[in-house]
Amino acid sequence: MSVVAVIIRLIMGNTSNHDEAVETLKQSNERKTSLTNGSGPWTVVYDSWHDSGDKNGGRFAAFAATGYRKRAMESAGWDISVGGGFPGFSQHHEDGEWVSTYYRNIDGPDLEPLVLVQEMYGVVPDAYLISEEFRLLMHLWEDKATGNFFSVSDDGSKELAIEFIGPQIRVRTPLLRRYQAARQLDLLLFSDTRVFVTTDEKPEAFAELNEEDHTENDSVVSMGVGDITLSRSQVFSRLLIKRILPPPPQEKSGIWPWDRDDEEYPEFIIDEDQDGRPVKFTCEEDKLANYFGKNPEAPHYLTPVSFKPEVLRRYYDDPSLYSIGDGRLSCGHLWGVQIDNGNPAAVMVFLGDIGRDIPSSHRDHWRAYNIPPVSKMSESTFRRSFLAQFAETENPEHLFKSAYLAIQAAWIEMWGWGLYREAGGGDAELIQRVRIPLNNTEAEFEAQLLALAKLLVDLLNESAIAADLSPIKDEKGISKLKRFLEARGYEYVDRDIALLRHIQNLRSRIAAHTSGSSGQAFLADELDGLSKPKFIEKLMGDATQMFADLSELNPS
């Protein structure tokens, strides 16, 4: 190879190495990430990294008074450091003496961090604390197991709001924007990133990468290139970016008195016209008639609106959050609505109650199950709502649940122990979940049959029932109960034991084997022309009668 060729190759090789170094030192990806942080669904408000000597950096966030914005735009440097924002004292000399002043926020009043980093200097782990005012105003709940925070909505739902991922802390951007709106504060998003390249070139060779403080849209950017004194073979670039996001208007906070500004009030079917087409009207309370002359041409607030029974499934299936009782659906103490569930064929809610009491986020769910008013209002709801009379439910499901709880209380009073053990684990809320099937499907039927079998058979308090009986090897709970009742002269032993064994047999035959032809034939014989909901309704009615008679059993 000629000398000229060697020189050309060396020059090209150096050029290639220089270009690669320039691309690394530019930090294009870090620049893009920092300039867009705060624009996506999540905003990183704290981070720190150090990757094998090739790069390191961090992110931080603070809120700032809008009057501070001009000063914040002067430089890409951080206006508050990690670990700032804590209480402390300042001192100044006055009239020959030191004067000490306490501050709730030593970096205030214009700046306040979202994350307070409490450094413990290696003695115990550092603490990363979310601003208390932020947590309280935005109504956040901390999951102690993960350290993450969840926002609790007006409808009772929980949404991940603040997530800890290793050293990174990120917050849902809409939550930050609402907090900014409420307090009318700017959000400052800081980043400081460094990358290192190994090269024989001096920093001056990369001088074109240097950037003085300058603004790019809503951000201030600066970059500098230097070398490490102890290692002249490494050059680094440092990129500083500060993004300043002004607050939205205060009414966008979604906090009272602006919490209902985005409410949506869909229309619901309230009737059918002469051609059989549905007649709909809004559920917005302010547009409905009442007994005081408001909106006389509109439907009345108490117009009944009907729904398929399946509308309640989402609430039955989450008994830790929702409860369905006789005439009421509620979400803890957060919200509740009067419903007519006295008729198993349909659920009814007054039109005005839908708009006033059911959260906006749930109304589309209800609308999906809305049907024309083909069923009558239950007698109990009519008497309670229009006659102001006490009325017991006629719904067999509610009567069964009430009787189940009553027999427990009665037997504890009479015998010192309950007929049934307390359910635990996944069955802890079984009494709330059990129901007359919401439709005629096999899955719904089997689920309720299984629940009945667990409640009435599996949870029998066998140890207490058999305490005074002579032991019989491999004797099961129902047989123990039979001997217990016979020993006390109970009148309906045969009837009630037959019911329990019938339910146990149904669970074994149907819930396990309905897919086969023999299982289907067995089911058809059992139903004897009844629909699946009506069949479960009958079992509940028989069990309710059993409980009523057992509650009269006298220990003497």
Side-chain angles (χ1 to χ4, degrees):
M1 183 181 294
S2 68
V3 174
V4 173
V6 171
I7 293 173
I8 292 174
R9 174 168 289 187
L10 289 172
I11 293 172
M12 291 181 65
N14 289 338
T15 301
S16 175
N17 290 338
H18 176 82
D19 290 344
E20 290 176 4
V22 167
E23 284 304 310
T24 300
L25 294 171
K26 277 183 178 179
Q27 301 195 54
S28 299
N29 289 337
E30 290 296 342
R31 181 186 294 260
K32 180 179 179 181
T33 299
S34 296
L35 290 174
T36 56
N37 188 32
S39 295
W42 291 92
T43 298
V44 177
V45 296
Y46 176 85
D47 203 355
S48 179
W49 64 91
H50 195 291
D51 299 336
S52 305
D54 295 330
K55 60 178 68 173
N56 60 57
R59 302 189 194 283
F60 200 51
F63 296 106
T66 54
Y68 185 84
R69 190 179 305 160
K70 182 177 180 181
R71 181 175 173 183
M73 295 291 291
E74 292 175 356
S75 159
W78 292 23
D79 301 84
I80 186 172
S81 60
V82 173
F86 276 80
F89 289 89
S90 72
Q91 284 189 326
H92 67 276
H93 211 252
E94 185 177 308
D95 297 330
E97 295 183 357
W98 286 104
V99 177
S100 300
T101 305
Y102 174 81
Y103 293 95
R104 184 175 180 273
N105 172 6
I106 201 69
D107 292 289
D110 291 328
L111 296 167
E112 53 184 79
L114 176 58
V115 180
L116 289 93
V117 180
Q118 189 174 26
E119 298 181 76
M120 295 301 184
Y121 310 103
V123 178
V124 293
D126 294 343
Y128 297 84
L129 312 172
I130 304 300
S131 161
E132 184 175 32
E133 189 164 359
F134 183 82
R135 289 188 290 113
L136 293 175
L137 186 61
M138 306 317 294
H139 200 54
L140 302 183
W141 169 75
E142 181 182 9
D143 179 1
K144 297 295 184 182
T146 64
N148 295 331
F149 288 83
F150 292 77
S151 58
V152 180
S153 301
D154 289 343
D155 63 0
S157 61
K158 296 185 289 290
E159 179 186 350
L160 184 60
I162 302 177
E163 186 175 25
F164 289 72
I165 309 173
Q168 185 185 95
I169 303 173
R170 64 178 193 169
V171 182
R172 285 283 283 125
T173 302
L175 200 67
L176 290 169
R177 303 297 280 159
R178 288 177 51 216
Y179 183 78
Q180 283 185 260
R183 296 194 55 204
Q184 287 299 287
L185 296 175
D186 287 345
L187 176 62
L188 310 184
L189 298 172
F190 310 111
S191 68
D192 182 352
T193 59
R194 305 185 191 202
V195 298
F196 300 80
V197 296
T198 300
T199 177
D200 293 330
E201 295 185 272
K202 300 293 180 64
E204 292 78 10
F206 305 97
E208 74 273 14
L209 297 179
N210 290 315
E211 300 177 43
E212 296 285 340
D213 285 314
H214 65 283
T215 58
E216 295 184 16
N217 299 318
D218 55 16
S219 303
V220 187
V221 181
S222 73
M223 175 179 274
V225 179
D227 60 7
I228 299 177
T229 304
L230 298 179
S231 177
R232 301 297 294 181
S233 61
Q234 273 201 322
V235 172
F236 71 89
S237 68
R238 182 187 186 192
L239 176 64
L240 284 169
I241 294 180
K242 181 198 303 177
R243 196 169 184 203
I244 299 101
L245 300 178
Q250 197 167 43
E251 57 269 22
K252 297 293 185 181
S253 67
I255 298 171
W256 187 91
W258 302 285
D259 55 333
R260 297 180 75 95
D261 286 356
D262 296 329
E263 285 267 1
E264 294 185 3
Y265 298 93
E267 294 184 339
F268 288 85
I269 300 170
I270 59 173
D271 203 353
E272 292 176 319
D273 65 16
Q274 60 185 7
D275 297 321
R277 293 175 300 185
V279 175
K280 300 181 180 181
F281 202 82
T282 180
C283 62
E284 187 172 356
E285 180 182 4
D286 290 341
K287 295 183 179 178
L288 300 176
N290 61 21
Y291 290 119
F292 305 100
K294 187 177 181 180
N295 304 317
E297 302 300 321
H300 198 277
Y301 180 103
L302 296 178
T303 299
V305 182
S306 296
F307 302 89
K308 296 178 182 177
E310 291 97 320
V311 72
L312 297 179
R313 181 192 299 277
R314 70 180 289 181
Y315 307 108
Y316 273 117
D317 290 345
D318 193 359
S320 63
L321 183 60
Y322 304 106
S323 62
I324 301 173
D326 173 18
R328 189 162 183 82
L329 163 67
S330 58
C331 174
H333 300 291
L334 190 59
W335 63 267
V337 60
Q338 179 182 331
I339 61 175
D340 179 5
N341 56 349
N343 179 0
V347 175
M348 189 279 294
V349 185
F350 293 126
L351 183 60
D353 284 348
I354 297 173
R356 187 189 68 179
D357 297 332
I358 295 179
S360 176
S361 58
H362 283 228
R363 291 178 196 144
D364 281 341
H365 166 77
W366 284 79
R367 187 168 59 169
Y369 294 94
N370 188 199
I371 57 176
V374 294
S375 298
K376 291 175 59 178
M377 184 184 302
S378 70
E379 178 69 18
S380 57
T381 295
F382 176 78
R383 289 173 57 190
R384 293 167 186 170
S385 300
F386 296 97
L387 303 180
Q389 295 177 351
F390 171 79
E392 185 175 282
T393 180
E394 57 264 46
N395 188 318
E397 174 191 321
H398 304 146
L399 295 172
F400 167 78
K401 291 180 176 180
S402 178
Y404 188 91
L405 299 175
I407 191 64
Q408 285 289 86
W411 273 47
I412 289 173
E413 183 178 349
M414 287 189 299
W415 306 97
W417 44 269
L419 177 60
Y420 294 102
R421 295 177 287 109
E422 291 292 329
D427 295 330
E429 294 155 331
L430 197 58
I431 190 63
Q432 285 87 10
R433 292 200 304 270
V434 70
R435 57 188 180 254
I436 295 172
L438 302 174
N439 53 45
N440 209 40
T441 63
E442 288 186 3
E444 177 74 357
F445 175 68
E446 290 173 13
Q448 301 319 311
L449 187 58
L450 178 61
L452 275 180
K454 285 183 176 181
L455 285 169
L456 298 177
V457 178
D458 296 355
L459 289 174
L460 279 171
N461 194 350
E462 293 188 35
S463 60
I465 291 171
D468 296 327
L469 301 176
S470 56
I472 296 178
K473 186 179 180 180
D474 297 329
E475 186 180 35
K476 301 302 182 183
I478 297 177
S479 296
K480 293 176 183 178
L481 178 63
K482 180 181 179 182
R483 289 206 291 144
F484 175 88
L485 296 176
E486 287 175 337
R488 283 149 184 84
Y490 179 59
E491 181 179 358
Y492 303 105
V493 173
D494 292 342
R495 181 199 67 184
D496 294 348
I497 295 303
L499 171 64
L500 296 180
R501 284 183 171 150
H502 186 205
I503 291 173
Q504 184 182 47
N505 188 43
L506 285 169
R507 187 256 303 272
S508 301
R509 291 288 303 272
I510 296 175
H513 307 294
T514 50
S515 57
S517 58
S518 62
Q520 291 293 332
F522 175 78
L523 176 59
D525 287 342
E526 287 291 337
L527 293 177
D528 193 26
L530 293 176
S531 68
K532 296 182 181 74
K534 283 292 184 183
F535 184 80
I536 295 294
E537 183 179 320
K538 182 179 183 303
L539 291 179
M540 286 182 170
D542 292 343
T544 300
Q545 183 61 56
M546 176 183 73
F547 292 147
D549 294 331
L550 285 174
S551 66
E552 300 296 326
L553 185 62
N554 194 322
S556 59

